[in-house]
């Protein structure tokens, strides 16, 4: 047998020296061992990928990911190896199923843990797109919250600013209309409010004086508006509103690249819904099927062991265990008899010793 076959036998948890005597069982345990090995390999990749995001940005992130991936993969490998090797093929079918039930439940839990980080990698593009939408919505909500808080905090000042602006705009419109009327008066355009006589007469002079007074009032209002706007802008700068802006595409790309495991895991869970919050069955099924695939792969060694018939290897293992149990029982009987014999001898010696002491006194 080549070393690869023996390695997979080891992975299956089989008794290699016994298995070598039964060639018809070799391929079955090679298949079981290979399944357990690749499950451990997927676990190592999954754990390493998850740990990479935990330490992302650290100089030792890759080293931590490799170290934890190896430890996690070996732990899952050892657990799967024990789960499969502990199923007793000598028992009845019902008893085997009963034995396998907690092992299958444990395998399902392991499959769920293994599948999640790998799903994060498979749906990496979709997760980044969903994170961009989330970050943009959060930033928009933050800006709206800050604006609402600012409006409430400076309600009086903002109300005064809006009122002053309204007065300024109203006066600008009135001045524009009066300027037009003055031009009509000067150029002799007859209206209900003009004389229709061309020239710069007394009426035109009076209108122009009124316009100058209104323009001075407009300048005063404009100055007040600028002063209030300056105050509001300073307050916005102080409260941080001026620095809060919606993220650019470059900033969103940067944020998604440094997103942690928790954010990515949340985004993966949101892929089952579209951006409007409605259920997206196609994406939800795709994510579910990927997870179920890894869970099934984790449970596969147990199913293979359950489905396989009892072969000569299982009979040999049963015989060896029976012989070892018998030998252990005989060793127990031997030790008991020796202890009993020694005890009887000690009792007899103690009796003789005390009798001798009585005779000499």
């Amino acid at each position: 047998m080549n070393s690869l076959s023996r390695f997979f036998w080891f992975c299956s948890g089989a008794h290699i020296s016994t298995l070598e005597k039964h060639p018809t069982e070799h391929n079955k345990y090679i298949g079981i061992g290979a399944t357990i090995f690749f499950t451990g390999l997927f676990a190592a990749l999954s754990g390493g990928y998850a740990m990479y995001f935990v330490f992302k940005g650290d100089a030792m992130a890759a080293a931590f990911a490799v170290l934890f991936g190896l430890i996690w993969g070996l732990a899952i490998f050892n657990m799967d190896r024990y789960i499969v090797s502990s199923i007793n093929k000598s028992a009845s079918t019902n008893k085997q199923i009963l034995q396998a039930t907690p092992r299958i439940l444990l395998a399902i839990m392991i499959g769920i843990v293994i599948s999640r980080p790998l799903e994060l990698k498979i749906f990496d593009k979709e997760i980044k797109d969903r994170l961009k939408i989330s970050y943009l919505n959060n930033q928009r909500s933050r800006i709206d919250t800050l604006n609402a808080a600012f409006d409430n905090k400076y309600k009086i000042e903002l109300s005064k600013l809006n009122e002053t602006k309204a007065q300024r705009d109203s006066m600008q419109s009135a001045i524009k209309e009066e300027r037009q009327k003055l031009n009509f008066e000067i150029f002799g355009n007859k209206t209900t409010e003009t004389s229709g006589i061309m020239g710069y007469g007394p009426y035109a002079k009076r209108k122009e004086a009124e316009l100058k007074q209104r323009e001075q009032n407009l300048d005063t209002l404009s100055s007040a508006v600028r002063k209030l706007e300056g105050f509001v802008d300073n307050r916005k700068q102080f409260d941080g509103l001026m620095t809060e802006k919606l993220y650019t595409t470059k900033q969103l790309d940067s944020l998604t690249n440094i997103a942690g495991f928790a954010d990515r895991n949340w985004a993966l869970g949101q892929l089952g819904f579209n951006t409007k919050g409605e259920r997206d069955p196609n994406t939800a099924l795709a994510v579910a099927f990927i997870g179920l695939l890894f869970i099934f792969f984790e449970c596969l060694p147990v199913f293979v062991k359950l489905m396989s018939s009892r072969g000569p290897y299982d009979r040999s293992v049963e015989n060896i265990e029976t012989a070892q149990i018998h030998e252990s029982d005989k060793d127990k009987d031997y030790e008991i008899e020796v202890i009993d014999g020694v005890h009887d001898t000690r009792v007899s010696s103690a009796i003789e010793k005390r009798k001798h002491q009585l005779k000499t006194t």
Side-chain angles (χ1 to χ4, degrees):
M1 279 292 122
N2 57 42
S3 56
L4 182 61
S5 297
R6 295 179 67 85
F7 172 72
F8 286 140
W9 289 350
F10 166 77
C11 294
S12 69
H15 191 262
I16 296 178
S17 60
T18 303
L19 183 59
E20 286 178 336
K21 300 175 184 178
H22 306 287
T24 57
E25 299 281 81
H26 290 179
N27 289 336
K28 179 172 74 175
Y29 283 90
I30 287 175
I32 294 175
T35 305
I36 294 174
F37 170 76
F38 284 110
T39 302
L41 179 62
F42 282 132
L45 294 174
S46 174
Y49 184 72
M51 190 55 60
Y52 176 76
F53 276 100
V54 172
F55 290 99
K56 193 172 183 180
D58 192 285
M60 298 294 291
F64 285 133
V66 171
L67 178 62
F68 180 81
L70 288 174
I71 295 173
W72 181 245
L74 288 173
I76 299 301
F77 168 79
N78 182 66
M79 191 174 297
D80 284 341
R81 186 170 178 268
Y82 166 74
I83 289 173
V84 173
S85 63
S86 62
I87 297 176
N88 183 11
K89 294 300 294 182
S90 301
S92 63
T93 302
N94 291 335
K95 190 172 182 180
Q96 288 183 45
I97 295 175
L98 186 63
Q99 289 177 341
T101 299
R103 292 165 173 79
I104 292 174
L105 294 176
L106 181 59
I108 290 173
M109 293 177 62
I110 294 172
I112 293 172
V113 173
I114 289 175
S115 66
R116 201 62 175 179
L118 295 177
E119 288 173 0
L120 292 176
K121 185 59 179 176
I122 292 171
F123 294 99
D124 183 64
K125 181 179 180 299
E126 291 78 8
I127 288 171
K128 285 184 176 180
D129 290 340
R130 186 53 58 91
L131 284 175
K132 288 179 182 179
I133 295 173
S134 174
Y135 291 152
L136 197 59
N137 288 338
N138 289 340
Q139 182 67 2
R140 186 179 289 111
S141 177
R142 174 179 171 81
I143 292 173
D144 291 342
T145 302
L146 287 174
N147 284 328
F150 182 86
D151 291 345
N152 186 58
K153 183 177 181 180
Y154 297 100
K155 186 175 181 180
I156 297 175
E157 290 81 355
L158 290 172
S159 177
K160 186 176 181 180
L161 173 61
N162 292 331
E163 182 181 346
T164 307
K165 280 184 175 180
Q167 291 176 358
R168 181 198 63 184
D169 295 339
S170 177
M171 186 169 290
Q172 282 179 339
S173 298
I175 289 174
K176 185 177 180 181
E177 291 178 1
E178 293 298 325
R179 177 65 65 182
Q180 187 178 28
K181 291 177 183 179
L182 176 61
N183 290 333
F184 285 167
E185 177 67 25
I186 294 173
F187 292 104
N189 294 331
K190 177 66 176 175
T191 65
T192 56
E193 298 182 7
T194 59
S195 63
I197 302 173
M198 186 176 178
Y200 192 69
Y203 181 77
K205 292 179 180 179
R206 181 162 50 84
K207 277 288 185 184
E208 187 174 19
E210 291 177 356
L211 277 174
K212 287 182 179 180
Q213 182 61 43
R214 287 196 173 190
E215 286 174 349
Q216 290 178 358
N217 294 337
L218 177 62
D219 290 340
T220 302
L221 282 174
S222 298
S223 177
V225 168
R226 288 192 296 271
K227 185 176 180 181
L228 287 171
E229 285 179 338
F231 171 80
V232 171
D233 289 341
N234 288 334
R235 291 296 88 193
K236 284 184 176 180
Q237 185 72 33
F238 180 79
D239 290 351
L241 267 71
M242 303 297 286
T243 57
E244 293 291 339
K245 298 179 181 179
L246 289 178
Y247 293 128
T248 62
T249 302
K250 187 176 181 180
Q251 288 175 322
L252 288 172
D253 290 337
S254 178
L255 287 172
T256 54
N257 287 332
I258 62 173
F261 184 83
D263 285 349
R264 295 174 64 83
N265 185 59
W266 172 85
L268 178 61
Q270 294 298 310
L271 291 182
F273 302 89
N274 58 28
T275 54
K276 297 180 180 178
E278 300 171 349
R279 188 73 176 172
D280 185 358
N282 294 328
T283 307
L285 285 174
V287 176
F289 281 147
I290 293 295
L292 290 174
L293 177 63
F294 284 107
I295 293 172
F296 174 75
F297 190 77
E298 174 63 29
C299 298
L300 190 59
V302 180
F303 292 149
V304 171
K305 189 68 179 288
L306 284 175
M307 290 186 297
S308 63
S309 59
R310 185 185 180 195
Y313 167 77
D314 301 304
R315 181 65 63 86
S316 296
V317 170
E318 181 185 4
N319 293 337
I320 291 172
E321 290 178 349
T322 303
Q324 289 176 345
I325 291 172
H326 180 72
E327 182 182 5
S328 177
D329 290 339
K330 290 300 180 182
D331 289 341
K332 181 189 72 172
D333 294 338
Y334 166 78
E335 293 294 336
I336 290 174
E337 290 183 9
V338 170
I339 292 171
D340 289 342
V342 171
H343 178 70
D344 292 341
T345 302
R346 289 175 63 189
V347 171
S348 299
S349 299
I351 291 173
E352 292 298 327
K353 184 177 180 180
R354 292 190 180 183
K355 284 182 178 181
H356 180 70
Q357 289 176 351
L358 288 172
K359 288 178 182 181
T360 56
T361 55

